[in-house]
């Protein structure tokens, strides 16, 4: 197999950052061959900026491009399902931004479609592919610090002025936008185990979406994840895993970790530098790790990732559904 040939679905902020990140990878391994947006001029603008040969004014055209191996889906949340199904039906592999679906039912539909078409599908939970996350997983699997007992994680930024974060028709929700990072971390730390119980308490914004909540996930053996997210203010944005024989601290930006403190010993995992502007902070260049992981999966002929599997996505979304139920947040997609 030569270079993995990427198509980009949407010309939004996250797609820009993904493109910048991919260009830090070897060109013999990764090529971006086309980009599509609902506004052709927007796609052409991105194509010119990022040196992409083809620009389309519809996602259908991208789905039919014979030169595309895998599509990165960076549209807003409510469009993940239709866009992903479009590409799967066209026989394309798909890397879709988180949350994969608006609910667990949508995730199941996408997974089933991918399995039927025998194509690769992965939710783009970029956190799991950072070298620092690989180190955390290694420590947990080898039980270097014993067994994980308590996880504390928090994620907060003032996002109430961002329409896609607060407008229900745009898929707005603090849980779906940033709280999902806390939930997926708990699922990772506790090895994909289903919580025995879920307790959620929080507040809704005037638009009817959640803007702040704390979630407790109770696991077997008296283990617990305590998670807080908010769109009203900035939190320290750290996470700490307390095990029977020590601690793993992620001091800041735990969703894009570049530093760990393991039993008081600090270890850094520097990112490659880029001169290009990034919309979601300098750590966004770390999107390169998930892109490279997709390539390695495709080279092995895999249809799902061993690190962010279909079962992982289904578990995360089942928890998201229950948290939303307790908070009183629903979307039209829940009635589909």
């Amino acid at each position: 197999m030569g270079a993995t040939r990427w198509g980009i679905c949407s010309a939004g902020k996250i797609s820009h950052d993904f493109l910048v990140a991919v260009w830090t990878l070897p060109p013999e391994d990764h090529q971006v061959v086309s980009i599509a947006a609902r506004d052709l001029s927007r796609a052409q603008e991105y194509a010119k900026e990022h040196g992409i040969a083809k620009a389309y004014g519809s996602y259908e055209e991208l789905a039919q491009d014979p030169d595309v191996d895998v599509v990165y889906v960076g549209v807003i949340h409510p469009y993940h399902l239709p866009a992903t199904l479009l590409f799967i039906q066209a026989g394309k592999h798909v890397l879709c931004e988180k949350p994969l679906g608006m609910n667990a039912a949508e995730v199941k539909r996408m997974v089933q479609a991918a399995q039927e078409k025998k194509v690769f599908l992965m939710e783009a939970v970029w956190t799991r592919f950072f070298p620092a996350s690989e180190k955390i997983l290694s420590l947990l699997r080898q039980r270097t610090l014993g067994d994980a007992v308590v996880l504390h994680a928090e994620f907060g930024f003032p996002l109430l002025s961002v329409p896609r974060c607060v407008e229900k028709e745009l898929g707005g929700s603090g849980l779906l936008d940033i709280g999902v990072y806390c939930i997926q971390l708990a699922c990772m730390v506790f090895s994909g185990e289903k919580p025995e119980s879920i307790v959620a308490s929080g507040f809704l914004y005037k638009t009817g979406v959640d803007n702040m909540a704390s979630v407790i996930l109770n696991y077997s053996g008296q283990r617990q994840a305590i998670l807080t997210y908010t769109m009203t203010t900035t939190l320290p944005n750290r996470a700490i895993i307390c095990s029977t024989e020590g601690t793993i601290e992620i001091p800041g930006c735990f969703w894009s970790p570049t530093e760990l403190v393991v039993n008081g010993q600090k270890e850094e995992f520097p990112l490659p530098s880029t001169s290009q502007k990034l919309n979601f902070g300098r750590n966004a260049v770390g999107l390169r790790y998930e892109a490279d992981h997709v390539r390695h999966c495709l080279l092995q002929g895999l249809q799902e990732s061993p690190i962010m599997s279909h079962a992982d996505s289904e578990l995360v979304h089942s928890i998201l559904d229950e948290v939303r139920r307790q908070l009183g947040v629903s979307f039209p997609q829940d009635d589909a």
Side-chain angles (χ1 to χ4, degrees):
M1 183 179 176
T4 298
R5 301 172 302 174
W6 290 89
I8 307 296
C9 173
S10 95
K13 290 182 177 180
I14 191 64
S15 292
H16 167 85
D17 285 9
F18 184 79
L19 285 163
V20 171
V22 168
W23 292 132
T24 68
L25 293 164
E28 61 270 23
D29 290 345
H30 296 269
Q31 295 176 3
V32 180
V33 298
S34 54
I35 182 167
R38 288 175 295 177
D39 178 351
L40 176 59
S41 63
R42 183 82 171 146
Q44 290 171 331
E45 178 188 324
Y46 264 50
K48 183 178 179 181
E49 179 181 355
H50 294 282
I52 302 169
K54 288 177 281 189
Y56 299 120
S58 75
Y59 303 149
E60 288 77 12
E61 290 173 281
L62 177 60
Q64 297 307 316
D65 187 334
D67 296 326
V68 171
D69 300 316
V70 55
V71 178
Y72 171 78
V73 176
V75 295
I76 61 174
H77 305 162
Y79 296 106
H80 285 183
L81 176 69
T84 295
L85 290 180
L86 171 69
F87 298 120
I88 288 173
Q89 293 305 327
K92 305 299 186 192
H93 305 298
V94 177
L95 171 65
C96 179
E97 260 309 326
K98 62 81 208 160
L100 184 54
M102 291 296 292
N103 52 41
E106 287 197 348
V107 171
K108 284 184 168 63
R109 280 188 64 188
M110 286 183 258
V111 167
Q112 184 177 2
Q115 290 172 343
E116 288 173 356
K117 293 292 286 187
K118 294 182 168 52
V119 296
F120 179 85
L121 170 66
M122 189 181 89
E123 183 175 12
V125 180
W126 64 323
T127 309
R128 294 202 177 190
F129 305 98
F130 277 71
S133 294
E134 291 181 357
K135 178 65 178 285
I136 292 170
L137 278 168
S138 175
L139 291 169
L140 292 171
R141 284 174 182 153
Q142 295 173 20
R143 299 182 66 251
T144 307
L145 304 175
D147 298 312
V149 179
V150 175
L151 165 68
H152 277 268
E154 57 190 15
F155 195 159
F157 277 113
L159 298 170
L160 297 180
S161 62
V162 181
R164 66 166 184 83
C165 293
V166 297
E167 299 297 337
K168 189 169 279 197
E169 62 271 22
L170 300 180
S173 161
L175 179 66
L176 297 189
D177 200 67
I178 58 178
V180 62
Y181 285 109
C182 300
I183 302 294
Q184 76 79 27
L185 181 64
C187 293
M188 185 183 97
V189 168
F190 294 109
S191 306
E193 183 180 326
K194 186 178 180 180
E196 289 189 337
S197 64
I198 299 169
V199 181
S201 179
F203 305 101
L204 304 187
Y205 191 54
K206 60 188 178 184
T207 56
V209 305
D210 54 296
N211 65 357
M212 180 192 302
S214 290
V215 180
I216 298 175
L217 305 179
N218 292 310
Y219 292 89
S220 64
Q222 298 187 347
R223 296 167 299 144
Q224 196 171 66
I226 302 102
L227 318 168
T228 299
Y229 67 88
T230 179
M231 297 196 293
T232 61
T233 188
T234 302
L235 296 179
N237 293 325
R238 60 194 170 205
I240 184 165
I241 304 161
C242 301
S243 298
T244 51
E245 296 172 36
T247 60
I248 304 170
E249 184 181 356
I250 313 171
C253 296
F254 75 84
W255 59 91
S256 54
T258 57
E259 186 180 312
L260 297 178
V261 181
V262 181
N263 277 356
Q265 296 296 308
K266 182 176 170 182
E267 185 174 357
E268 295 184 353
F269 303 82
L271 291 165
S273 60
T274 176
S275 59
Q276 290 189 265
K277 174 184 172 290
L278 291 158
N279 294 304
F280 295 98
R282 58 187 175 83
N283 286 13
V285 75
L287 290 162
R288 71 198 301 270
Y289 299 121
E290 67 179 5
D292 213 32
H293 177 74
V294 170
R295 171 174 168 80
H296 288 298
C297 288
L298 295 181
L299 288 173
Q300 296 174 63
L302 300 179
Q303 290 172 31
E304 63 179 304
S305 162
I307 296 173
M308 190 66 204
S309 68
H310 296 163
D312 290 328
S313 291
E314 289 181 4
L315 174 61
V316 168
H317 281 75
S318 70
I319 296 171
L320 297 178
D321 283 2
E322 175 58 21
V323 171
R324 281 199 298 116
R325 188 192 69 78
Q326 292 188 28
L327 295 178
V329 178
S330 62
F331 296 103
Q333 291 86 351
D334 298 329
D335 301 322

